[in-house]
Amino acid sequence: MEFYCNDFKVGKCQGQKVVDGETMPLVLQPSEPHKAGLDSLLEALERNKDWFEEMIIKNSAVLLRGFDVKKAEDFNDIVETCGWDDIRYVGPAPRTHIYKRVWTANEGPLSEFIYYHHEMVLIKEFPKKVVLFCQIPPPEGGQTPFVPSFKVTERMLEEFPQEVEEIDAKGLKYTFTALSNNDTSSMRGRGWEDAFGTSDRAEAERRAKALGMDMEWLPNGGVKTILGPRPLTTVFEGRKGRRMWFNTVVGMHGKELSSALMADGTEVPEKFVKRCDQIIEEESIQFKWEAGDVLFLDNYALLHGRRPSLPPRKVLVATCK
């Protein structure tokens, strides 16, 4: 399916890359200056639903730029027009519900770098798409970089073929420690009560089990969650048979509140983790937010993160099945 569509004009943005013939992100702008309004955008999306979704799958990232998107309600209308079901976020990031399907992105300190990840990668049901809306772009920094996941797998297989296959065969086991209540001073400060939507431990355990987690209660009222085994790479239907680097080894390995081991308890080699970190950064795609930008990410195909920034920065998010 070609880029061409009467309702959109293809543009460019700083940091855009072509990866194996795919433009990341594909930038779509109003076809005419008088069609930049929200109503025109919603009508265009409604007319071209199948084409638009195909563009997300083909290019892994699509950026709507130059449209009159100003507030959470506008963003919610865009998400709902696309017709994808909602999926509730489960994870350590502190977030606040804004409007209907719209939440704040990670509210951890802007001075911290949020490491590259597939959204909810460790949960049994994870989103197919992550949609981000920039309401207030930061004066400096604050990019949302993303990485073609299959490129990480390709390069790790070139340098660590035996290790990749061994870890994939054994699977990975992760642990993460969460407090009882939210701590917005940390980018991983979401408490278990908020994460599971209950203060009842038995109910939290039931909900955790449904998501594929085991729990160990801690004396301080916190909880240690245990997840695994999980694969190192995953092949998703409709993604050209590519092995996606669908894990969070680098992000959780050897951290204060988290760990990542092979499922049999064997340590993941330090040099493997460090080199993977370098490769992910080398393959990253950066672009500078502009007010009104709406970025659609194929969560099966891309890892994404957040660069440190100066305030203010307001980016909202919706996660979709």
Side-chain angles (χ1 to χ4, degrees):
M1 190 175 290
E2 297 299 323
F3 290 160
Y4 181 76
C5 175
N6 285 329
D7 289 310
F8 296 99
K9 179 176 69 175
V10 175
K12 295 182 179 181
C13 70
Q14 183 181 3
Q16 188 179 55
K17 288 185 181 179
V18 176
V19 181
D20 282 14
E22 299 166 9
T23 305
M24 300 184 186
L26 173 66
V27 180
L28 297 179
Q29 299 175 321
S31 58
E32 302 288 345
H34 68 276
K35 294 184 178 180
L38 179 65
D39 288 344
S40 293
L41 172 59
L42 297 179
E43 291 168 3
L45 290 171
E46 183 67 40
R47 281 193 295 270
N48 299 283
K49 280 185 180 180
D50 292 343
W51 175 86
F52 188 71
E53 181 154 15
E54 185 66 25
M55 290 301 97
I56 296 172
I57 294 173
K58 176 179 174 58
N59 299 281
S60 300
V62 173
L63 175 64
L64 296 179
R65 173 166 283 180
F67 293 94
D68 190 24
V69 186
K70 294 186 179 299
K71 55 187 186 295
E73 292 82 356
D74 300 342
F75 178 44
N76 186 78
D77 287 345
I78 291 169
V79 174
E80 291 194 342
T81 297
C82 290
W84 308 312
D85 291 335
D86 188 35
I87 184 169
R88 175 182 165 83
Y89 171 74
V90 178
R95 293 182 172 180
T96 300
H97 182 241
I98 300 296
Y99 177 79
K100 291 187 176 179
R101 296 178 60 172
V102 179
W103 294 70
T104 59
N106 191 320
E107 294 180 315
L110 291 176
S111 59
E112 295 188 31
F113 174 48
I114 298 175
Y115 195 72
Y116 302 97
H117 59 284
H118 291 274
E119 199 70 25
M120 293 166 57
V121 63
L122 301 182
I123 309 302
K124 282 186 175 179
E125 186 179 22
F126 38 79
K128 192 173 183 179
K129 301 174 188 71
V130 175
V131 192
L132 298 154
F133 161 54
C134 182
Q135 190 169 13
I136 302 175
E140 182 178 317
Q143 299 94 334
T144 298
F146 51 88
V147 181
S149 196
F150 79 97
K151 294 296 292 183
V152 182
T153 307
E154 284 182 353
R155 292 186 59 184
M156 289 296 288
L157 279 168
E158 289 172 2
E159 297 189 30
F160 300 93
Q162 293 181 337
E163 291 89 339
V164 168
E165 300 301 356
E166 178 188 6
I167 297 170
D168 229 355
K170 290 182 177 180
L172 290 157
K173 180 175 73 174
Y174 302 91
T175 67
F176 182 80
T177 300
L179 300 176
S180 177
N181 298 313
N182 289 348
D183 175 12
T184 56
S185 69
S186 170
M187 64 180 181
R188 290 183 170 180
R190 193 182 192 195
W192 65 263
E193 293 184 19
D194 184 25
F196 295 109
T198 180
S199 59
D200 181 85
R201 290 190 175 193
E203 178 62 18
E205 289 180 6
R206 187 189 70 78
R207 295 180 184 182
K209 183 66 72 174
L211 294 167
M213 303 180 191
D214 292 320
M215 302 175 80
E216 292 180 4
W217 296 102
L218 304 175
N220 65 358
V223 66
K224 183 179 186 180
T225 56
I226 305 160
L227 307 96
R230 296 287 191 273
L232 183 72
T233 67
T234 302
V235 177
F236 293 103
E237 184 179 354
R239 303 312 190 277
K240 300 182 179 180
R242 292 167 168 169
R243 289 175 71 177
M244 304 300 184
W245 195 254
F246 208 73
N247 64 74
T248 183
V249 168
V250 178
M252 293 184 71
H253 180 269
K255 303 297 191 296
E256 181 181 358
L257 297 177
S258 65
S259 68
L261 303 170
M262 294 187 218
D264 65 358
T266 304
E267 287 281 350
V268 179
E270 185 71 24
K271 66 178 182 179
F272 180 93
V273 177
K274 286 185 176 180
R275 182 59 184 137
C276 182
D277 183 12
Q278 293 170 347
I279 288 172
I280 288 173
E281 189 60 56
E282 289 167 6
E283 294 293 337
S284 68
I285 296 168
Q286 320 276 334
F287 78 98
K288 187 176 181 180
W289 282 115
E290 294 183 5
D293 280 351
V294 181
L295 178 66
F296 296 77
L297 300 179
D298 180 354
N299 191 46
Y300 290 2
L302 297 176
L303 304 109
H304 69 279
R306 187 196 72 188
R307 292 284 185 209
S309 76
L310 296 176
R313 179 188 189 271
K314 189 172 185 180
V315 174
L316 305 180
V317 64
T319 46
C320 308
K321 293 184 179 179

